[in-house]
C-alpha cells in the first residue's frame, strides 16, 4: 500500500489551500457583511422602521451572512482540502 492510500499516514496542513480559502473568505465576507449592513439599513428606511427595528433587521441579515460564509468555507474545503496525507 502506498503512503497516499494509507489512512493512518500523518496528515500535513496544505498551506496553499488554506491561504487560498481564507483569502477568498475575507473578500467574500467583506461583500456579504457589507451587503447585510447596507441592506438592513435600506430595508429599514423603505419600510419606515425605527432605529431599533432596523438594527434587529441588520442583525438578522448579519446572521444570515454568517451562515453563507460557513457554507462557503465548508464547500471550499471540499475543493481545496486543508490537509493532505504525508
Amino acid at each position: 500500500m502506498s503512503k497516499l492510500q494509507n489512512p493512518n499516514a500523518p496528515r500535513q496542513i496544505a498551506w496553499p489551500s488554506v491561504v487560498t480559502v481564507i483569502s477568498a473568505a475575507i473578500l467574500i465576507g467583506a461583500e456579504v457583511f457589507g451587503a447585510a449592513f447596507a441592506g438592513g439599513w435600506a430595508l429599514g428606511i423603505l419600510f419606515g422602521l425605527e432605529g431599533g427595528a432596523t438594527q434587529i433587521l441588520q442583525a438578522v441579515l448579519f446572521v444570515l451572512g454568517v451562515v453563507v460564509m460557513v457554507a462557503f468555507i465548508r464547500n471550499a474545503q471540499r475543493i481545496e482540502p486543508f490537509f493532505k496525507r504525508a
Side-chain angles (χ1 to χ4, degrees):
M1 196 175 229
S2 71
K3 286 179 120 179
L4 295 176
Q5 296 175 350
N6 185 1
N8 296 328
R11 297 186 332 168
Q12 293 179 344
I13 297 175
W15 286 110
S17 295
V18 172
V19 170
T20 300
V21 170
I22 289 176
S23 297
I26 290 170
L27 176 65
I28 294 169
E31 295 174 8
V32 166
F33 297 124
F37 177 75
W41 174 74
L43 289 172
I45 290 174
L46 180 66
F47 295 123
L49 301 176
E50 295 182 12
T54 299
Q55 290 177 346
I56 291 171
L57 181 59
Q58 286 175 329
V60 168
L61 291 175
F62 183 85
V63 169
L64 183 61
V66 169
V67 170
V68 167
M69 289 308 302
V70 167
F72 168 77
I73 291 174
R74 291 187 64 167
N75 287 326
Q77 230 179 337
R78 286 186 211 141
I79 296 168
E80 294 280 340
F82 286 180
F83 297 100
K84 61 183 176 181
R85 299 284 176 192

